[in-house]
Structure formats: C-alpha cells, structure tokens
Amino acid sequence: MTPRIFIVTTAHISEFPDPITFIEGAPLTVGEQYQGDEGWDNWFFCSTPGQEAGWVPGQVIERLDDLRARAREAYTARELDVQVGERLIAARSLNGWHWCTRQDGGESGWVPQANLVEHAPYCVVQEEVSGCGIAASANILGKTYAEMKAIANAMGIHAEDESLWSDSRYVRRLLATGGAAAATGEAPFTSWESLPDLALLAIKHHQENGRDFWHWVVFERSAGQMHVLDSASYLPSNIRTDFDAMQPKWYIEVNRPGPARSVPCQHASVSSR
C-alpha cells in the first residue's frame, strides 16, 4: 500500500497494554473468529507460547489444521492511542484497521479505519491581490480566507498595507494565533529535498526601489510526497508540483499546532470484538 495521510476524527485508546506479538513462523493456536457490526472481518483470537492471547488478522495465519497454525510473518497487535486532529501515515490496511505512524515519525500501531478520514491537499485562494500572507497562514492553520482575514484585521494587519509586503514578522504573528510555531529567522533555500516538512516559502523574490518583495507559498511534505500550496487566484491549480518553475529565495520552518488534548472518550476497540 502506498503510504497515505489520515486525520484522526475520533479518539482511540487501546485496551490492550500487552498486545500479542510474534515472529514469522511462530506457532499459533487459533480460536474464535470475531463477530460484530464494525466491519472488522477476518480477525481471529489467537494464542502463542509466552504471550497473552490477542486478535490476529487472517492474512497472517497459515493454517496447519483446525486449531494449529503458524505465522506467515512477524506481527504485533499493538494499537496506537490517538487524539482528534492528529495526522497519521498509514502504511498498511487490514480488515477495517490501518497500521499508522505519527507524522513526526514517532510511535506506530493499529487504528480503526472508522476513526480516520483521508487527508486530501486543499489550498485556500487569496481574495485580495496582496493577501498571500493571510492565505498562507490560513492554509497552515486550516482556516478559510475570511476567517484568517478577520483575525488579521483585528490585529491591525491588512493585506493592502504596503509596509507588510516586505515584512515576515506579521505571518509569524498570524500563525501564533492558531498555535503554530514559526522559526525566528529565514533560512536560504538550497534544494527542495532539504526543506523541512512544513515551511513558508518566499518565491518571486524581487526588488523595487531598493525594497525586497516576494510572494508567500506553503511547502508541505507528507509520506515522502512534496507539494506547494500557492494561493494565487490566476493559477490553473493551486496545488503545485512544478518545482523547477518556482525559484524560492528563502524559507521559514513552521510546526503545526498539536491536536487538542481532552479527556479521552471510550470507544470500541479490538477488545470488544
């Protein structure tokens, strides 16, 4: 499966502190098949020496007779505790569950497919000729242009203010309102591959009467795939991969705000199968 990006829409908390884990070829005793309405088909309650019993997908089980089997591959039933808003990279899908890794490269584990929605790149288009900074901030914070413009205007930031056209501080202020952290300085662009996973890019860099001007765009890398969100309204597509046509001058690394933390709700997990 090609890695895909998912957003957590419903929190999931594992009820298995000691998930069954085994290597390829491990002996398995196959028990009941899971029955339920969640669409979790082809899961079997298995045991192996030295492990607590747990649910194993049928694709991993090589049957030897009615009860005995062995593992076709190494496997762990470890589930990933996730909160609403987290971004996950899914590398495998089995029987209603995705094997996911946190986007920062941290922990991995199984998450119910029903708790996730696939992330599709979307670009907010600027509604003012000079509103690229507002639009870029909206794209990072997941807001509409109108929402971000209202926040900016309340802070005394207006797209038509020419003093901001050569300024990078105001986008940092806008991002901070949504909990995003932007680097304090600008770093020179050297290559697309060396960019961080999320960055504000200055393209179309030029000078007028001794002043620097540029156009703000957002660079994103997810599951190894790169694209640029360019809010310019005249573009045929605002999600760009024509990297050779863009010539960034410098960039600002950005970290998105973390997911909201709250008391987890109780949700069905494998243990209820």
Side-chain angles (χ1 to χ4, degrees):
M1 163 180 178
T2 301
R4 296 153 64 191
I5 304 298
F6 287 87
I7 308 296
V8 179
T9 55
T10 304
H12 174 72
I13 305 299
S14 173
E15 297 179 7
F16 285 101
D18 299 303
I20 187 171
T21 302
F22 48 76
I23 63 173
E24 180 181 355
L28 301 174
T29 299
V30 183
E32 63 174 313
Q33 181 174 0
Y34 176 71
Q35 302 292 327
D37 300 327
E38 299 91 344
W40 300 339
D41 299 326
N42 202 26
W43 290 89
F44 296 84
F45 201 65
C46 297
S47 60
T48 193
Q51 297 278 332
E52 290 191 16
W55 294 99
V56 178
Q59 294 91 329
V60 173
I61 302 169
E62 180 183 357
R63 297 277 189 168
L64 302 177
D65 56 34
D66 289 344
L67 292 178
R68 295 185 308 117
R70 63 188 172 200
R72 296 182 185 273
E73 60 185 77
Y75 171 77
T76 178
R78 182 175 65 249
E79 299 174 27
L80 190 62
D81 292 348
V82 294
Q83 299 292 332
V84 173
E86 285 194 73
R87 292 187 175 214
L88 308 175
I89 300 173
R92 190 179 191 185
S93 179
L94 285 176
N95 314 335
W97 289 68
H98 290 313
W99 178 261
C100 296
T101 302
R102 301 193 198 281
Q103 196 171 36
D104 62 6
E107 299 173 290
S108 298
W110 294 101
V111 180
Q113 179 178 322
N115 294 47
L116 307 172
V117 63
E118 188 160 10
H119 170 67
Y122 171 78
C123 184
V124 171
V125 176
Q126 64 194 73
E127 297 176 6
E128 299 161 284
V129 174
S130 51
C132 56
I134 292 174
S137 300
N139 277 312
I140 290 174
L141 297 179
K143 297 184 179 295
T144 65
Y145 188 87
E147 290 170 338
M148 201 74 247
K149 179 181 177 180
I151 293 170
N153 291 172
M155 298 170 63
I157 297 171
H158 299 272
E160 63 272 16
D161 183 354
E162 294 188 17
S163 67
L164 298 177
W165 297 357
S166 300
D167 177 76
S168 62
R169 291 171 298 176
Y170 84 93
V171 289
R172 293 185 175 90
R173 293 174 58 205
L174 289 178
L175 291 173
T177 65
T184 56
E186 295 85 41
F189 175 86
T190 56
S191 71
W192 293 100
E193 290 72 23
S194 64
L195 286 172
D197 288 343
L198 180 64
L200 282 166
L201 288 182
I203 67 171
K204 299 183 180 178
H205 198 278
H206 63 284
Q207 284 197 333
E208 294 180 14
N209 299 321
R211 288 179 60 192
D212 292 321
F213 292 89
W214 58 84
H215 174 64
W216 289 114
V217 296
V218 177
F219 172 83
E220 290 185 317
R221 183 189 295 107
S222 298
Q225 303 298 311
M226 303 184 297
H227 60 253
V228 167
L229 305 180
D230 188 335
S231 63
S233 59
Y234 59 80
L235 292 171
S237 174
N238 297 100
I239 300 171
R240 301 181 62 177
T241 55
D242 55 333
F243 301 113
D244 290 341
M246 294 177 280
Q247 297 181 334
K249 181 75 171 180
W250 43 261
Y251 68 89
I252 299 173
E253 183 172 0
V254 180
N255 290 310
R256 273 195 173 89
R261 299 289 174 179
S262 58
V263 177
C265 300
Q266 295 300 315
H267 300 282
S269 70
V270 185
S271 61
S272 64
R273 286 182 273 174

